[in-house]
Short mmCIF file of all heavy atoms in Angstrom, two decimals:
data_model
loop_
_atom_site.label_atom_id
_atom_site.label_comp_id
_atom_site.label_asym_id
_atom_site.label_seq_id
_atom_site.Cartn_x
_atom_site.Cartn_y
_atom_site.Cartn_z
N MET A 15 -0.25 9.38 10.10
CA MET A 15 -1.33 8.53 9.65
C MET A 15 -1.66 8.82 8.18
O MET A 15 -1.96 7.90 7.44
CB MET A 15 -2.56 8.74 10.54
CG MET A 15 -3.66 7.75 10.27
SD MET A 15 -3.19 6.05 10.52
CE MET A 15 -4.04 5.68 12.00
N ASP A 16 -1.60 10.09 7.77
CA ASP A 16 -1.87 10.44 6.38
C ASP A 16 -0.89 9.74 5.43
O ASP A 16 -1.27 9.30 4.35
CB ASP A 16 -1.81 11.94 6.16
CG ASP A 16 -2.96 12.67 6.83
OD1 ASP A 16 -3.99 12.02 7.12
OD2 ASP A 16 -2.84 13.89 7.06
N LYS A 17 0.36 9.66 5.85
CA LYS A 17 1.39 9.02 5.02
C LYS A 17 1.07 7.53 4.83
O LYS A 17 1.26 6.99 3.75
CB LYS A 17 2.76 9.20 5.68
CG LYS A 17 3.90 8.73 4.84
CD LYS A 17 5.23 9.08 5.49
CE LYS A 17 6.38 8.66 4.61
NZ LYS A 17 7.67 9.00 5.17
N ILE A 18 0.55 6.90 5.87
CA ILE A 18 0.20 5.49 5.79
C ILE A 18 -0.99 5.28 4.87
O ILE A 18 -0.98 4.38 4.02
CB ILE A 18 -0.12 4.93 7.20
CG1 ILE A 18 1.07 5.10 8.12
CG2 ILE A 18 -0.56 3.49 7.14
CD1 ILE A 18 2.38 4.64 7.56
N LEU A 19 -2.01 6.10 5.03
CA LEU A 19 -3.19 5.98 4.16
C LEU A 19 -2.80 6.21 2.70
O LEU A 19 -3.29 5.52 1.80
CB LEU A 19 -4.27 6.95 4.60
CG LEU A 19 -4.87 6.67 5.98
CD1 LEU A 19 -5.84 7.78 6.37
CD2 LEU A 19 -5.57 5.32 6.01
N GLU A 20 -1.93 7.17 2.46
CA GLU A 20 -1.47 7.44 1.10
C GLU A 20 -0.69 6.24 0.56
O GLU A 20 -0.84 5.86 -0.60
CB GLU A 20 -0.60 8.69 1.07
CG GLU A 20 -0.11 9.06 -0.31
CD GLU A 20 -1.22 9.44 -1.28
OE1 GLU A 20 -2.30 9.86 -0.85
OE2 GLU A 20 -0.99 9.32 -2.49
N ALA A 21 0.14 5.62 1.38
CA ALA A 21 0.91 4.44 0.96
C ALA A 21 -0.02 3.28 0.61
O ALA A 21 0.20 2.57 -0.38
CB ALA A 21 1.90 4.02 2.05
N ILE A 22 -1.06 3.10 1.40
CA ILE A 22 -2.03 2.04 1.13
C ILE A 22 -2.74 2.31 -0.20
O ILE A 22 -2.88 1.41 -1.04
CB ILE A 22 -3.05 1.91 2.28
CG1 ILE A 22 -2.35 1.39 3.54
CG2 ILE A 22 -4.22 1.01 1.88
CD1 ILE A 22 -3.18 1.48 4.80
N ARG A 23 -3.17 3.54 -0.40
CA ARG A 23 -3.83 3.90 -1.67
C ARG A 23 -2.90 3.68 -2.86
O ARG A 23 -3.29 3.12 -3.88
CB ARG A 23 -4.29 5.36 -1.65
CG ARG A 23 -5.56 5.57 -0.89
CD ARG A 23 -6.07 7.01 -1.07
NE ARG A 23 -6.68 7.43 0.17
CZ ARG A 23 -6.15 8.25 1.06
NH1 ARG A 23 -5.00 8.80 0.85
NH2 ARG A 23 -6.78 8.54 2.17
N GLU A 24 -1.67 4.15 -2.72
CA GLU A 24 -0.69 4.02 -3.80
C GLU A 24 -0.41 2.55 -4.14
O GLU A 24 -0.35 2.18 -5.31
CB GLU A 24 0.62 4.72 -3.43
CG GLU A 24 0.54 6.22 -3.46
CD GLU A 24 0.42 6.78 -4.86
OE1 GLU A 24 1.02 6.23 -5.80
OE2 GLU A 24 -0.31 7.77 -5.02
N ALA A 25 -0.24 1.74 -3.10
CA ALA A 25 0.01 0.32 -3.33
C ALA A 25 -1.19 -0.33 -4.01
O ALA A 25 -1.04 -1.12 -4.95
CB ALA A 25 0.33 -0.39 -2.01
N SER A 26 -2.38 -0.01 -3.56
CA SER A 26 -3.60 -0.58 -4.14
C SER A 26 -3.75 -0.18 -5.60
O SER A 26 -4.04 -1.02 -6.46
CB SER A 26 -4.81 -0.11 -3.33
OG SER A 26 -5.99 -0.63 -3.90
N ILE A 27 -3.55 1.09 -5.90
CA ILE A 27 -3.64 1.56 -7.27
C ILE A 27 -2.58 0.90 -8.14
O ILE A 27 -2.86 0.47 -9.27
CB ILE A 27 -3.52 3.11 -7.32
CG1 ILE A 27 -4.76 3.75 -6.71
CG2 ILE A 27 -3.29 3.60 -8.75
CD1 ILE A 27 -4.60 5.24 -6.45
N SER A 28 -1.37 0.78 -7.62
CA SER A 28 -0.29 0.17 -8.38
C SER A 28 -0.56 -1.29 -8.70
O SER A 28 -0.29 -1.75 -9.81
CB SER A 28 1.04 0.30 -7.62
OG SER A 28 1.39 1.66 -7.51
N VAL A 29 -1.10 -2.02 -7.74
CA VAL A 29 -1.45 -3.42 -7.98
C VAL A 29 -2.53 -3.50 -9.05
O VAL A 29 -2.43 -4.31 -9.99
CB VAL A 29 -1.91 -4.12 -6.68
CG1 VAL A 29 -2.53 -5.47 -6.98
CG2 VAL A 29 -0.74 -4.27 -5.72
N ALA A 30 -3.56 -2.68 -8.94
CA ALA A 30 -4.65 -2.69 -9.92
C ALA A 30 -4.13 -2.36 -11.33
O ALA A 30 -4.49 -3.03 -12.30
CB ALA A 30 -5.75 -1.71 -9.51
N CYS A 31 -3.28 -1.35 -11.42
CA CYS A 31 -2.73 -0.97 -12.73
C CYS A 31 -1.84 -2.08 -13.30
O CYS A 31 -1.92 -2.38 -14.49
CB CYS A 31 -1.92 0.32 -12.60
SG CYS A 31 -2.92 1.78 -12.33
N LEU A 32 -1.02 -2.67 -12.46
CA LEU A 32 -0.15 -3.74 -12.91
C LEU A 32 -0.97 -4.92 -13.42
O LEU A 32 -0.69 -5.47 -14.50
CB LEU A 32 0.78 -4.18 -11.78
CG LEU A 32 1.75 -5.32 -12.08
CD1 LEU A 32 2.65 -4.98 -13.26
CD2 LEU A 32 2.59 -5.63 -10.85
N LEU A 33 -1.98 -5.32 -12.67
CA LEU A 33 -2.83 -6.42 -13.10
C LEU A 33 -3.57 -6.08 -14.40
O LEU A 33 -3.70 -6.92 -15.29
CB LEU A 33 -3.83 -6.79 -12.00
CG LEU A 33 -3.21 -7.44 -10.77
CD1 LEU A 33 -4.28 -7.59 -9.68
CD2 LEU A 33 -2.57 -8.77 -11.10
N ASN A 34 -4.02 -4.84 -14.52
CA ASN A 34 -4.69 -4.41 -15.74
C ASN A 34 -3.74 -4.44 -16.93
O ASN A 34 -4.11 -4.89 -18.02
CB ASN A 34 -5.26 -3.00 -15.55
CG ASN A 34 -6.15 -2.59 -16.70
OD1 ASN A 34 -7.02 -3.34 -17.10
ND2 ASN A 34 -5.92 -1.40 -17.22
N ASP A 35 -2.52 -3.97 -16.72
CA ASP A 35 -1.52 -3.99 -17.81
C ASP A 35 -1.24 -5.41 -18.26
O ASP A 35 -1.14 -5.68 -19.46
CB ASP A 35 -0.22 -3.32 -17.35
CG ASP A 35 -0.34 -1.82 -17.20
OD1 ASP A 35 -1.36 -1.25 -17.66
OD2 ASP A 35 0.58 -1.22 -16.60
N ILE A 36 -1.10 -6.31 -17.31
CA ILE A 36 -0.81 -7.71 -17.65
C ILE A 36 -1.99 -8.32 -18.40
O ILE A 36 -1.81 -9.02 -19.40
CB ILE A 36 -0.47 -8.51 -16.38
CG1 ILE A 36 0.89 -8.05 -15.83
CG2 ILE A 36 -0.46 -10.01 -16.66
CD1 ILE A 36 1.23 -8.59 -14.46
N GLU A 37 -3.20 -8.03 -17.93
CA GLU A 37 -4.39 -8.57 -18.59
C GLU A 37 -4.53 -8.03 -20.01
O GLU A 37 -4.93 -8.75 -20.92
CB GLU A 37 -5.64 -8.20 -17.78
CG GLU A 37 -6.92 -8.76 -18.37
CD GLU A 37 -8.14 -8.37 -17.55
OE1 GLU A 37 -8.00 -8.04 -16.36
OE2 GLU A 37 -9.24 -8.39 -18.12
N ALA A 38 -4.21 -6.76 -20.22
CA ALA A 38 -4.36 -6.13 -21.53
C ALA A 38 -3.21 -6.44 -22.48
O ALA A 38 -3.29 -6.14 -23.67
CB ALA A 38 -4.48 -4.62 -21.35
N ASP A 39 -2.18 -7.08 -21.98
CA ASP A 39 -0.98 -7.35 -22.78
C ASP A 39 -1.17 -8.62 -23.62
O ASP A 39 -0.61 -9.67 -23.33
CB ASP A 39 0.24 -7.49 -21.86
CG ASP A 39 1.52 -7.67 -22.64
OD1 ASP A 39 1.62 -7.18 -23.77
OD2 ASP A 39 2.43 -8.34 -22.09
N GLU A 40 -1.92 -8.50 -24.69
CA GLU A 40 -2.25 -9.65 -25.53
C GLU A 40 -1.03 -10.18 -26.29
O GLU A 40 -0.96 -11.36 -26.63
CB GLU A 40 -3.36 -9.30 -26.51
CG GLU A 40 -4.67 -8.98 -25.82
CD GLU A 40 -5.73 -8.51 -26.78
OE1 GLU A 40 -5.49 -8.47 -28.00
OE2 GLU A 40 -6.84 -8.18 -26.29
N ASN A 41 -0.07 -9.31 -26.59
CA ASN A 41 1.10 -9.71 -27.37
C ASN A 41 2.30 -10.08 -26.51
O ASN A 41 3.38 -10.31 -27.04
CB ASN A 41 1.49 -8.58 -28.33
CG ASN A 41 0.39 -8.26 -29.30
OD1 ASN A 41 -0.31 -9.15 -29.77
ND2 ASN A 41 0.21 -6.99 -29.61
N ASN A 42 2.11 -10.11 -25.20
CA ASN A 42 3.20 -10.41 -24.27
C ASN A 42 4.42 -9.53 -24.52
O ASN A 42 5.56 -10.00 -24.54
CB ASN A 42 3.60 -11.89 -24.36
CG ASN A 42 2.51 -12.80 -23.88
OD1 ASN A 42 1.82 -12.50 -22.91
ND2 ASN A 42 2.32 -13.93 -24.55
N ASP A 43 4.18 -8.22 -24.68
CA ASP A 43 5.29 -7.33 -24.95
C ASP A 43 5.63 -6.41 -23.78
O ASP A 43 6.42 -5.48 -23.92
CB ASP A 43 5.05 -6.51 -26.22
CG ASP A 43 3.78 -5.68 -26.18
OD1 ASP A 43 3.04 -5.75 -25.17
OD2 ASP A 43 3.51 -4.97 -27.16
N ILE A 44 5.05 -6.67 -22.61
CA ILE A 44 5.45 -5.92 -21.41
C ILE A 44 6.86 -6.38 -21.03
O ILE A 44 7.14 -7.57 -20.94
CB ILE A 44 4.49 -6.15 -20.23
CG1 ILE A 44 3.13 -5.55 -20.52
CG2 ILE A 44 5.06 -5.53 -18.95
CD1 ILE A 44 2.12 -5.76 -19.40
N LYS A 45 7.71 -5.44 -20.84
CA LYS A 45 9.09 -5.75 -20.49
C LYS A 45 9.20 -6.10 -19.00
O LYS A 45 8.53 -5.50 -18.16
CB LYS A 45 10.00 -4.56 -20.80
CG LYS A 45 9.91 -4.07 -22.21
CD LYS A 45 10.50 -5.08 -23.18
CE LYS A 45 10.52 -4.53 -24.58
NZ LYS A 45 9.90 -5.37 -25.55
N LEU A 46 10.03 -7.06 -18.71
CA LEU A 46 10.22 -7.51 -17.34
C LEU A 46 10.66 -6.37 -16.43
O LEU A 46 10.19 -6.26 -15.30
CB LEU A 46 11.23 -8.66 -17.29
CG LEU A 46 11.46 -9.30 -15.92
CD1 LEU A 46 10.15 -9.83 -15.35
CD2 LEU A 46 12.49 -10.40 -16.02
N PHE A 47 11.51 -5.48 -16.92
CA PHE A 47 11.97 -4.37 -16.07
C PHE A 47 10.82 -3.45 -15.70
O PHE A 47 10.85 -2.84 -14.63
CB PHE A 47 13.12 -3.60 -16.73
CG PHE A 47 12.69 -2.59 -17.76
CD1 PHE A 47 12.45 -1.26 -17.39
CD2 PHE A 47 12.54 -2.94 -19.09
CE1 PHE A 47 12.07 -0.33 -18.32
CE2 PHE A 47 12.16 -2.01 -20.03
CZ PHE A 47 11.91 -0.70 -19.65
N GLU A 48 9.79 -3.33 -16.56
CA GLU A 48 8.63 -2.50 -16.23
C GLU A 48 7.82 -3.13 -15.10
O GLU A 48 7.37 -2.44 -14.18
CB GLU A 48 7.74 -2.31 -17.46
CG GLU A 48 8.39 -1.48 -18.55
CD GLU A 48 7.59 -1.46 -19.83
OE1 GLU A 48 6.55 -2.14 -19.92
OE2 GLU A 48 8.02 -0.76 -20.76
N ILE A 49 7.65 -4.43 -15.15
CA ILE A 49 6.94 -5.15 -14.09
C ILE A 49 7.75 -5.07 -12.80
O ILE A 49 7.20 -4.81 -11.72
CB ILE A 49 6.70 -6.62 -14.49
CG1 ILE A 49 5.71 -6.67 -15.68
CG2 ILE A 49 6.17 -7.42 -13.31
CD1 ILE A 49 5.54 -8.05 -16.27
N GLU A 50 9.05 -5.25 -12.90
CA GLU A 50 9.92 -5.18 -11.72
C GLU A 50 9.85 -3.80 -11.08
O GLU A 50 9.77 -3.67 -9.86
CB GLU A 50 11.36 -5.51 -12.11
CG GLU A 50 12.30 -5.57 -10.93
CD GLU A 50 13.70 -5.97 -11.32
OE1 GLU A 50 13.97 -6.16 -12.51
OE2 GLU A 50 14.52 -6.10 -10.42
N LYS A 51 9.83 -2.75 -11.89
CA LYS A 51 9.74 -1.38 -11.38
C LYS A 51 8.44 -1.18 -10.60
O LYS A 51 8.44 -0.59 -9.52
CB LYS A 51 9.82 -0.40 -12.56
CG LYS A 51 9.84 1.06 -12.18
CD LYS A 51 10.04 1.95 -13.38
CE LYS A 51 8.84 1.83 -14.28
NZ LYS A 51 8.81 2.79 -15.38
N ASP A 52 7.33 -1.70 -11.14
CA ASP A 52 6.04 -1.59 -10.45
C ASP A 52 6.04 -2.35 -9.14
O ASP A 52 5.55 -1.87 -8.12
CB ASP A 52 4.91 -2.11 -11.34
CG ASP A 52 4.62 -1.20 -12.52
OD1 ASP A 52 4.99 -0.01 -12.45
OD2 ASP A 52 4.02 -1.68 -13.50
N ILE A 53 6.60 -3.55 -9.15
CA ILE A 53 6.65 -4.36 -7.93
C ILE A 53 7.53 -3.70 -6.88
O ILE A 53 7.19 -3.69 -5.69
CB ILE A 53 7.12 -5.80 -8.25
CG1 ILE A 53 6.04 -6.50 -9.09
CG2 ILE A 53 7.42 -6.57 -6.97
CD1 ILE A 53 6.46 -7.84 -9.65
N GLU A 54 8.63 -3.12 -7.29
CA GLU A 54 9.50 -2.42 -6.34
C GLU A 54 8.78 -1.22 -5.72
O GLU A 54 8.92 -0.94 -4.53
CB GLU A 54 10.79 -1.97 -7.02
CG GLU A 54 11.74 -3.13 -7.30
CD GLU A 54 12.95 -2.72 -8.12
OE1 GLU A 54 13.03 -1.56 -8.58
OE2 GLU A 54 13.82 -3.59 -8.30
N TYR A 55 7.99 -0.51 -6.52
CA TYR A 55 7.22 0.63 -6.00
C TYR A 55 6.21 0.15 -4.96
O TYR A 55 6.07 0.76 -3.90
CB TYR A 55 6.52 1.36 -7.15
CG TYR A 55 5.74 2.56 -6.67
CD1 TYR A 55 6.40 3.74 -6.32
CD2 TYR A 55 4.37 2.52 -6.54
CE1 TYR A 55 5.70 4.84 -5.88
CE2 TYR A 55 3.65 3.62 -6.09
CZ TYR A 55 4.33 4.78 -5.76
OH TYR A 55 3.63 5.86 -5.31
N ILE A 56 5.52 -0.94 -5.27
CA ILE A 56 4.56 -1.51 -4.32
C ILE A 56 5.27 -1.92 -3.04
O ILE A 56 4.79 -1.65 -1.94
CB ILE A 56 3.81 -2.69 -4.96
CG1 ILE A 56 2.94 -2.19 -6.13
CG2 ILE A 56 2.96 -3.43 -3.92
CD1 ILE A 56 2.46 -3.29 -7.06
N GLN A 57 6.44 -2.56 -3.17
CA GLN A 57 7.20 -2.95 -1.99
C GLN A 57 7.60 -1.75 -1.16
O GLN A 57 7.56 -1.78 0.07
CB GLN A 57 8.44 -3.76 -2.39
CG GLN A 57 9.28 -4.22 -1.20
CD GLN A 57 8.50 -5.09 -0.24
OE1 GLN A 57 7.89 -6.07 -0.65
NE2 GLN A 57 8.50 -4.74 1.04
N ASP A 58 7.98 -0.66 -1.81
CA ASP A 58 8.33 0.58 -1.08
C ASP A 58 7.14 1.08 -0.27
O ASP A 58 7.31 1.52 0.88
CB ASP A 58 8.78 1.67 -2.05
CG ASP A 58 10.14 1.38 -2.68
OD1 ASP A 58 10.87 0.50 -2.17
OD2 ASP A 58 10.45 2.03 -3.70
N GLN A 59 5.95 1.01 -0.84
CA GLN A 59 4.75 1.46 -0.13
C GLN A 59 4.46 0.55 1.07
O GLN A 59 4.11 1.02 2.16
CB GLN A 59 3.54 1.50 -1.06
CG GLN A 59 3.70 2.43 -2.25
CD GLN A 59 4.14 3.83 -1.86
OE1 GLN A 59 3.51 4.48 -1.05
NE2 GLN A 59 5.24 4.28 -2.44
N ILE A 60 4.64 -0.75 0.88
CA ILE A 60 4.43 -1.70 1.98
C ILE A 60 5.46 -1.45 3.09
O ILE A 60 5.12 -1.51 4.28
CB ILE A 60 4.49 -3.14 1.47
CG1 ILE A 60 3.27 -3.41 0.57
CG2 ILE A 60 4.57 -4.15 2.62
CD1 ILE A 60 3.33 -4.72 -0.19
N THR A 61 6.68 -1.13 2.73
CA THR A 61 7.72 -0.84 3.72
C THR A 61 7.36 0.40 4.54
O THR A 61 7.55 0.42 5.76
CB THR A 61 9.08 -0.65 3.03
OG1 THR A 61 9.42 -1.86 2.35
CG2 THR A 61 10.17 -0.31 4.04
N ILE A 62 6.80 1.41 3.90
CA ILE A 62 6.34 2.60 4.63
C ILE A 62 5.30 2.20 5.67
O ILE A 62 5.36 2.63 6.84
CB ILE A 62 5.75 3.65 3.66
CG1 ILE A 62 6.86 4.26 2.81
CG2 ILE A 62 4.98 4.74 4.42
CD1 ILE A 62 6.36 5.11 1.65
N ILE A 63 4.37 1.37 5.27
CA ILE A 63 3.31 0.91 6.18
C ILE A 63 3.91 0.08 7.32
O ILE A 63 3.58 0.31 8.49
CB ILE A 63 2.25 0.09 5.41
CG1 ILE A 63 1.57 0.99 4.37
CG2 ILE A 63 1.23 -0.52 6.37
CD1 ILE A 63 0.80 0.24 3.30
N GLU A 64 4.79 -0.84 6.99
CA GLU A 64 5.43 -1.68 8.02
C GLU A 64 6.20 -0.85 9.02
O GLU A 64 6.12 -1.08 10.23
CB GLU A 64 6.37 -2.69 7.37
CG GLU A 64 5.68 -3.81 6.65
CD GLU A 64 6.66 -4.71 5.93
OE1 GLU A 64 7.76 -4.25 5.53
OE2 GLU A 64 6.31 -5.88 5.73
N ASN A 65 6.96 0.12 8.52
CA ASN A 65 7.77 0.96 9.41
C ASN A 65 6.90 1.77 10.36
O ASN A 65 7.28 2.03 11.50
CB ASN A 65 8.68 1.87 8.61
CG ASN A 65 9.81 1.12 7.94
OD1 ASN A 65 10.16 0.00 8.34
ND2 ASN A 65 10.37 1.70 6.91
N PHE A 66 5.73 2.17 9.89
CA PHE A 66 4.83 2.90 10.75
C PHE A 66 4.21 1.99 11.81
O PHE A 66 4.10 2.36 12.98
CB PHE A 66 3.72 3.56 9.92
CG PHE A 66 2.68 4.25 10.76
CD1 PHE A 66 2.92 5.51 11.27
CD2 PHE A 66 1.48 3.64 11.07
CE1 PHE A 66 1.97 6.16 12.06
CE2 PHE A 66 0.52 4.26 11.85
CZ PHE A 66 0.78 5.53 12.35
N LEU A 67 3.79 0.80 11.39
CA LEU A 67 3.07 -0.09 12.29
C LEU A 67 3.96 -0.86 13.26
O LEU A 67 3.49 -1.30 14.30
CB LEU A 67 2.24 -1.09 11.48
CG LEU A 67 1.10 -0.49 10.66
CD1 LEU A 67 0.42 -1.58 9.85
CD2 LEU A 67 0.11 0.23 11.54
N GLU A 68 5.21 -1.02 12.94
CA GLU A 68 6.12 -1.84 13.73
C GLU A 68 6.13 -1.52 15.22
O GLU A 68 6.09 -2.43 16.04
CB GLU A 68 7.53 -1.74 13.15
CG GLU A 68 8.46 -2.78 13.69
CD GLU A 68 9.77 -2.77 12.92
OE1 GLU A 68 9.76 -3.07 11.72
OE2 GLU A 68 10.79 -2.43 13.55
N PRO A 69 6.16 -0.25 15.62
CA PRO A 69 6.23 0.02 17.06
C PRO A 69 4.93 -0.25 17.81
O PRO A 69 4.91 -0.27 19.03
CB PRO A 69 6.56 1.51 17.15
CG PRO A 69 6.58 2.05 15.78
CD PRO A 69 6.29 0.96 14.82
N PHE A 70 3.84 -0.43 17.10
CA PHE A 70 2.55 -0.60 17.75
C PHE A 70 2.24 -2.06 18.02
O PHE A 70 2.58 -2.94 17.24
CB PHE A 70 1.43 -0.03 16.88
CG PHE A 70 1.52 1.45 16.69
CD1 PHE A 70 2.01 1.98 15.51
CD2 PHE A 70 1.12 2.32 17.69
CE1 PHE A 70 2.09 3.35 15.33
CE2 PHE A 70 1.19 3.69 17.52
CZ PHE A 70 1.69 4.19 16.33
N THR A 71 1.56 -2.29 19.12
CA THR A 71 1.01 -3.61 19.38
C THR A 71 -0.42 -3.63 18.86
O THR A 71 -1.01 -2.58 18.58
CB THR A 71 0.99 -3.93 20.88
OG1 THR A 71 0.09 -3.02 21.53
CG2 THR A 71 2.36 -3.84 21.51
N VAL A 72 -0.99 -4.79 18.74
CA VAL A 72 -2.37 -4.90 18.28
C VAL A 72 -3.30 -4.13 19.20
O VAL A 72 -4.21 -3.44 18.76
CB VAL A 72 -2.78 -6.40 18.19
CG1 VAL A 72 -4.25 -6.53 17.87
CG2 VAL A 72 -1.93 -7.12 17.17
N GLU A 73 -3.04 -4.20 20.50
CA GLU A 73 -3.89 -3.49 21.47
C GLU A 73 -3.82 -1.98 21.27
O GLU A 73 -4.83 -1.29 21.31
CB GLU A 73 -3.46 -3.85 22.89
CG GLU A 73 -4.35 -3.24 23.96
CD GLU A 73 -3.93 -3.67 25.36
OE1 GLU A 73 -3.39 -4.78 25.50
OE2 GLU A 73 -4.14 -2.88 26.29
N GLU A 74 -2.62 -1.46 21.02
CA GLU A 74 -2.47 -0.03 20.78
C GLU A 74 -3.21 0.40 19.52
O GLU A 74 -3.85 1.45 19.50
CB GLU A 74 -0.99 0.34 20.66
CG GLU A 74 -0.24 0.26 21.97
CD GLU A 74 1.25 0.42 21.78
OE1 GLU A 74 1.79 -0.12 20.79
OE2 GLU A 74 1.88 1.05 22.63
N LEU A 75 -3.12 -0.40 18.48
CA LEU A 75 -3.83 -0.09 17.24
C LEU A 75 -5.34 -0.09 17.45
O LEU A 75 -6.06 0.75 16.92
CB LEU A 75 -3.45 -1.07 16.13
CG LEU A 75 -2.01 -0.94 15.62
CD1 LEU A 75 -1.69 -2.08 14.67
CD2 LEU A 75 -1.78 0.39 14.95
N GLN A 76 -5.82 -1.03 18.24
CA GLN A 76 -7.25 -1.08 18.53
C GLN A 76 -7.68 0.17 19.30
O GLN A 76 -8.72 0.75 19.02
CB GLN A 76 -7.60 -2.34 19.33
CG GLN A 76 -9.08 -2.51 19.63
CD GLN A 76 -9.92 -2.66 18.36
OE1 GLN A 76 -9.48 -3.22 17.37
NE2 GLN A 76 -11.12 -2.15 18.40
N THR A 77 -6.87 0.60 20.24
CA THR A 77 -7.17 1.81 21.01
C THR A 77 -7.21 3.03 20.10
O THR A 77 -8.11 3.87 20.21
CB THR A 77 -6.13 2.01 22.13
OG1 THR A 77 -6.15 0.87 22.99
CG2 THR A 77 -6.41 3.26 22.93
N ILE A 78 -6.25 3.13 19.19
CA ILE A 78 -6.22 4.24 18.24
C ILE A 78 -7.50 4.23 17.40
O ILE A 78 -8.14 5.26 17.20
CB ILE A 78 -4.98 4.16 17.33
CG1 ILE A 78 -3.71 4.44 18.14
CG2 ILE A 78 -5.10 5.11 16.14
CD1 ILE A 78 -2.43 4.15 17.40
N ARG A 79 -7.89 3.06 16.96
CA ARG A 79 -9.10 2.94 16.14
C ARG A 79 -10.34 3.36 16.94
O ARG A 79 -11.19 4.10 16.45
CB ARG A 79 -9.25 1.50 15.65
CG ARG A 79 -10.45 1.29 14.79
CD ARG A 79 -10.43 -0.10 14.17
NE ARG A 79 -11.60 -0.28 13.35
CZ ARG A 79 -12.50 -1.21 13.55
NH1 ARG A 79 -12.37 -2.09 14.51
NH2 ARG A 79 -13.55 -1.30 12.77
N GLU A 80 -10.44 2.89 18.16
CA GLU A 80 -11.58 3.24 19.01
C GLU A 80 -11.61 4.74 19.30
O GLU A 80 -12.67 5.36 19.27
CB GLU A 80 -11.55 2.43 20.30
CG GLU A 80 -11.84 0.96 20.09
CD GLU A 80 -11.55 0.10 21.32
OE1 GLU A 80 -11.10 0.64 22.35
OE2 GLU A 80 -11.76 -1.12 21.23
N ASP A 81 -10.45 5.32 19.55
CA ASP A 81 -10.38 6.76 19.80
C ASP A 81 -10.82 7.54 18.56
O ASP A 81 -11.53 8.54 18.67
CB ASP A 81 -8.96 7.18 20.17
CG ASP A 81 -8.57 6.73 21.58
OD1 ASP A 81 -9.47 6.31 22.34
OD2 ASP A 81 -7.37 6.78 21.89
N LYS A 82 -10.42 7.09 17.42
CA LYS A 82 -10.79 7.77 16.18
C LYS A 82 -12.30 7.71 15.97
O LYS A 82 -12.93 8.68 15.57
CB LYS A 82 -10.06 7.14 14.99
CG LYS A 82 -10.26 7.88 13.70
CD LYS A 82 -9.41 7.30 12.61
CE LYS A 82 -9.61 8.09 11.32
NZ LYS A 82 -8.82 7.59 10.23
N ILE A 83 -12.90 6.56 16.26
CA ILE A 83 -14.34 6.41 16.13
C ILE A 83 -15.06 7.34 17.10
O ILE A 83 -16.04 7.99 16.76
CB ILE A 83 -14.78 4.94 16.36
CG1 ILE A 83 -14.28 4.07 15.19
CG2 ILE A 83 -16.28 4.81 16.50
CD1 ILE A 83 -14.43 2.58 15.41
N LEU A 84 -14.56 7.44 18.33
CA LEU A 84 -15.17 8.33 19.32
C LEU A 84 -15.09 9.79 18.88
O LEU A 84 -16.04 10.55 19.06
CB LEU A 84 -14.48 8.16 20.68
CG LEU A 84 -14.80 6.86 21.42
CD1 LEU A 84 -13.96 6.78 22.70
CD2 LEU A 84 -16.28 6.78 21.77
N TRP A 85 -13.97 10.20 18.30
CA TRP A 85 -13.81 11.58 17.86
C TRP A 85 -14.71 11.88 16.66
O TRP A 85 -15.12 13.01 16.46
CB TRP A 85 -12.36 11.86 17.50
CG TRP A 85 -11.51 12.09 18.70
CD1 TRP A 85 -10.68 11.19 19.30
CD2 TRP A 85 -11.42 13.28 19.48
NE1 TRP A 85 -10.09 11.75 20.39
CE2 TRP A 85 -10.51 13.04 20.52
CE3 TRP A 85 -12.01 14.53 19.39
CZ2 TRP A 85 -10.19 14.00 21.47
CZ3 TRP A 85 -11.69 15.49 20.34
CH2 TRP A 85 -10.79 15.22 21.35
N ALA A 86 -15.00 10.87 15.87
CA ALA A 86 -15.82 11.07 14.67
C ALA A 86 -17.30 11.23 15.00
O ALA A 86 -18.06 11.79 14.22
CB ALA A 86 -15.63 9.90 13.70
N THR A 87 -17.71 10.74 16.17
CA THR A 87 -19.13 10.81 16.53
C THR A 87 -19.45 12.02 17.35
O THR A 87 -18.71 12.75 17.83
CB THR A 87 -19.58 9.55 17.31
OG1 THR A 87 -18.74 9.38 18.44
CG2 THR A 87 -19.52 8.36 16.41
#
């Protein structure tokens, strides 16, 4: 679960940084390969998440969530 949370954080940060870089690029000098590298990194993080979630059904995920809430209280 820690690996999934880390992948979500990494993907979120990468998207925010990429959007910020594009917004700040007033001279349009960001190289396409730099954008492609960022997008590939984000895709890698999404793949980690997908691979983790794939074996679970929605019902199983809901049960995990409910169990976690019970343990936290």
